[in-house]
Amino acid sequence: MKRAISARNCVCLPLLLGLMVFLAACQSADLRRDTPFWAEDVGDPAARFELAKRTQPELIAFLRRLPKGADLHNHLSGASYGEYVVASALEQGLNYDPARRRFTDRPAGQDGVITGEQLLRDSALLAAYHDVSSMRGWYPAVANGHDHFFASFDHLRSGDRGKAEMLAEVVARNAWQNVTYLELMTSPYPKSVRKAIGAALERFDPGDLEGAWAQVASVLDDPAHAAATAAYLDRIESGADRILRDKHDLRLLGDAPDVVVRYLPQLLRKLSLDRFFVDAVAAMMAIRDEPRVVALNMVQPEDATRSRERFADQMRILDFLSGKLGNPPISLHAGELVLRESPVEPMRDRISRSVTQGQARRIGHGISIAWEDDVVGTLETLRRREVLVEICLSSNEGILGVKGDAHPFMLYRRAGVPVSINTDDEAISRSNLTMEFVLAASRYDLRYADLLELARNSLEYAFMPGDGLYVERDYARLRPGFAKVRDSQWTPSAEARAAMQSDLKLRLQVRLEREIVAFERSLANGFRTTP
Ligand SMILES: [Zn+2]
């Protein structure tokens, strides 16, 4: 009998133990289900991030403070929220034309024009302005997001907001989101530079680029242009510093948000080829002469008739001038195309030619990749040349109607092409870099390690000088002297400090790694911003 009982015990005991473990697991799963990601003992940062993925507000709370590195694709004029544009228009004494939904210097009372104060008091008129100057007034069922998006710039621009104000806004917003580096697309030099090149170019024949070059070459040696560009940027940046000190919304960040800003001139792809040539020379000159100007890009809709017709010549001009001006860094919007907006033919080589002929080291959007003639070969070229694709999820959804599985985000990742998360036009999309990370994380089920890779990509593929922290772009291999940078107790040696002093990329990458350490420590300690 005793033996029988003991035999039965042998069977039951493991079952009982198993049941207890199962119940404990259920209880802990239950606990975890009702536990915020910042609670004690809910695991490492990766486990905490899985908890944060349950709802969008939790993701926002987690990702706003995640160190994100850089925003590499950000148009300054599309980053200024309409609310601040209205305030700025009022400060300048502009009036408002409700019929055209634009600010104007025409007198109030004439043709329905009202004062800025009247606009502020009329919530319906104010709402109508914000609707038309951003994507919030776009109704997908009845209107085209592409057209609404490109029209919104004119409404924003009518408020005549200065570059210093826009810069202050963007710097403040990004500092608050743990972004430490921005590459902003804007015109970073005065018109006089472009005019001098244009005046020298008396005849332009797209078939004779050497002839065009010979006409403008002397302008490039005039040191007055480099000085004018430096003074122009100095004025904008010191204006932005002043605004950051004085304006309440922005001052919340403290006196001097620590964000490094660099600039990319934009070539207008719809304009004539001679103007494109002049703009490209001006941009490459600025990159050569001014350290704050780091690369160039091309803007305006890629699907426009003129853009399509001139693309081949534009690539030829970039190729030619790159050879003349020391191969400056280039990032190109390429493949921001869908069948709704474009015939398929331009999509067959738009991305590959932007890289092989247009000398692009980064690609903006790259949505039409799947329509490339040799899609595998193009992806292989991007991977081999280490061309990063700048992903802009909100923008692609609004302008092209592309989201979720229709977006090539995962295709690029599976093909080993580096990508980064960017805003494009955060104010027009009513978004910001945190929100773009939220979309990426929730739509593509990203893991915590993926987030860190995206943040590291943004600094690694930025157009700033320096050797950086990582060996051969392998984030697991740290440069000698920095092997312990991810240890919580690390302090830089004198040599490490000297190396960071002379290498901006290294400095910002070390800062990112240290911010990740601090972020993870905060996660484990209750995630409060004030102790
Ligand atoms: Zn863009």
Side-chain angles (χ1 to χ4, degrees):
M1 192 66 187
K2 199 175 174 192
R3 272 183 75 165
I5 290 172
S6 133
R8 207 161 47 235
N9 275 352
C10 281
V11 177
C12 289
L13 200 59
L15 272 179
L16 195 63
L17 283 173
L19 187 66
M20 283 166 69
V21 169
F22 175 72
L23 286 174
C26 287
Q27 200 180 13
S28 117
D30 257 6
L31 270 179
R32 279 168 59 96
R33 200 170 57 224
D34 294 325
T35 303
F37 66 79
W38 60 85
E40 265 184 81
D41 303 328
V42 288
D44 62 9
R48 290 175 186 276
F49 180 60
E50 291 306 313
L51 290 177
K53 277 159 70 178
R54 292 170 301 184
T55 65
Q56 192 174 86
E58 286 168 287
L59 266 180
I60 292 172
F62 189 101
L63 291 170
R64 200 270 294 172
R65 284 178 51 200
L66 177 84
K68 288 176 273 294
D71 187 354
L72 299 179
H73 189 124
N74 181 319
H75 300 269
L76 183 58
S77 61
S80 179
Y81 267 67
E83 286 82 347
Y84 297 122
V85 172
V86 170
S88 162
L90 260 66
E91 272 173 28
Q92 297 175 70
L94 289 176
N95 292 323
Y96 183 73
D97 181 344
R100 298 175 63 236
R101 300 197 202 174
R102 283 173 168 81
F103 289 95
T104 176
D105 51 13
R106 290 183 0 248
Q110 193 183 81
D111 304 325
V113 170
I114 60 174
T115 66
E117 287 300 330
Q118 285 173 300
L119 171 66
L120 267 195
R121 284 198 298 272
D122 190 325
S123 56
L125 282 184
L126 199 54
Y129 176 72
H130 291 313
D131 282 351
V132 82
S133 64
S134 76
M135 293 302 276
R136 76 169 223 185
W138 166 54
Y139 300 101
V142 289
N144 181 307
H146 172 281
D147 298 350
H148 187 106
F149 173 88
F150 285 106
S152 64
F153 285 91
D154 281 345
H155 299 277
L156 273 185
R157 230 176 269 135
S158 72
D160 203 21
R161 191 152 199 244
K163 278 191 182 167
E165 289 180 298
M166 294 195 277
L167 179 60
E169 176 188 339
V170 174
V171 163
R173 181 177 302 130
N174 279 287
W176 182 64
Q177 296 172 83
N178 273 352
V179 179
T180 52
Y181 177 82
L182 294 170
E183 286 185 359
L184 300 177
M185 283 175 269
T186 186
S187 291
Y189 40 74
K191 287 196 177 92
S192 60
V193 175
R194 181 166 50 74
K195 281 187 177 154
I197 301 165
L201 187 68
E202 288 178 359
R203 288 161 287 98
F204 181 77
D205 172 1
D208 178 19
L209 295 180
E210 283 289 356
W213 174 253
Q215 295 172 62
V216 302
S218 64
V219 181
L220 274 85
D221 300 329
D222 183 348
H225 300 306
T229 297
Y232 181 78
L233 285 178
D234 285 348
R235 233 180 356 262
I236 293 171
E237 292 186 344
S238 58
D241 285 344
R242 222 173 14 255
I243 293 161
L244 284 165
R245 277 196 306 273
D246 298 344
K247 295 250 166 138
H248 173 75
D249 275 14
L250 307 178
R251 212 180 50 222
L252 293 175
L253 292 154
D255 283 348
D258 195 4
V259 177
V260 175
V261 180
R262 296 291 180 260
Y263 304 93
L264 280 76
Q266 321 175 92
L267 317 184
L268 304 176
R269 65 199 321 155
K270 280 165 66 177
L271 299 189
S272 62
L273 284 175
D274 58 330
R275 168 68 190 266
F276 186 87
F277 184 89
V278 167
D279 283 354
V281 171
M284 291 188 192
M285 241 172 92
I287 296 165
R288 183 195 65 181
D289 297 337
E290 170 55 55
R292 287 169 288 182
V293 181
V294 291
L296 64 83
N297 208 318
M298 283 164 68
V299 294
Q300 294 185 318
E302 241 184 292
D303 51 80
T305 303
R306 296 284 177 251
S307 309
R308 193 173 66 245
E309 289 171 351
R310 291 171 180 159
F311 176 74
D313 282 328
Q314 290 166 344
M315 292 304 102
R316 226 163 35 76
I317 291 171
L318 287 182
D319 198 16
F320 173 83
L321 288 176
S322 287
K324 294 287 186 197
L325 279 154
N327 293 310
I330 294 176
S331 176
L332 294 176
H333 287 72
E336 193 182 2
L337 297 170
V338 288
L339 293 172
R340 189 176 83 180
E341 307 296 340
S342 164
V344 77
E345 286 72 20
M347 303 185 209
R348 290 178 52 187
D349 65 356
R350 185 60 61 90
I351 296 168
S352 47
R353 282 181 70 180
S354 294
V355 172
T356 56
Q357 198 181 9
Q359 307 301 332
R361 298 187 203 174
R362 293 202 315 245
I363 289 293
H365 303 291
I367 295 297
S368 63
I369 181 70
W371 293 109
E372 287 274 325
D373 276 342
D374 181 8
V375 56
V376 175
T378 302
L379 288 166
E380 177 57 22
T381 301
L382 297 177
R383 196 186 62 76
R384 196 169 22 83
R385 291 194 180 200
E386 301 180 318
V387 173
L388 171 130
V389 178
E390 303 154 0
I391 302 290
C392 309
L393 295 174
S394 290
S395 165
N396 299 149
E397 180 179 353
I399 300 171
L400 304 176
V402 168
K403 66 171 180 175
D405 283 356
H407 198 287
F409 178 76
M410 291 308 295
L411 171 60
Y412 284 120
R413 282 177 64 80
R414 286 173 186 142
V417 175
V419 295
S420 64
I421 301 295
N422 311 271
T423 54
D424 205 4
D425 297 276
E426 57 182 315
I428 290 177
S429 294
R430 307 294 297 191
S431 184
N432 54 47
L433 196 59
T434 298
M435 206 57 209
E436 298 302 307
F437 268 81
V438 167
L439 294 179
S442 53
R443 288 179 180 175
Y444 304 109
D445 194 23
L446 299 184
R447 297 161 304 137
Y448 181 69
D450 299 326
L451 302 177
L452 298 189
E453 182 190 316
L454 290 165
R456 288 173 179 138
N457 280 352
S458 70
L459 290 178
E460 180 61 23
Y461 292 85
F463 292 132
M464 64 180 128
D467 295 331
L469 175 64
Y470 313 111
V471 178
E472 292 174 358
R473 296 198 148 151
D474 179 349
Y475 302 147
R477 292 164 63 203
L478 302 171
R479 161 183 174 150
F482 291 84
K484 302 253 188 274
V485 76
R486 290 171 183 150
D487 290 0
S488 56
Q489 302 303 322
W490 182 76
T491 49
S493 64
E495 298 86 61
R497 251 194 295 272
M500 287 193 285
Q501 204 58 45
S502 60
D503 185 330
L504 175 64
K505 190 171 186 175
L506 174 65
R507 188 158 75 244
L508 291 183
Q509 289 181 324
V510 167
R511 185 171 152 195
L512 175 66
E513 296 297 340
R514 299 307 298 161
E515 284 176 345
I516 292 169
V517 170
F519 175 77
E520 294 182 351
R521 194 186 306 127
S522 171
L523 271 175
N525 291 327
F527 211 52
R528 296 291 304 271
T529 49
T530 45

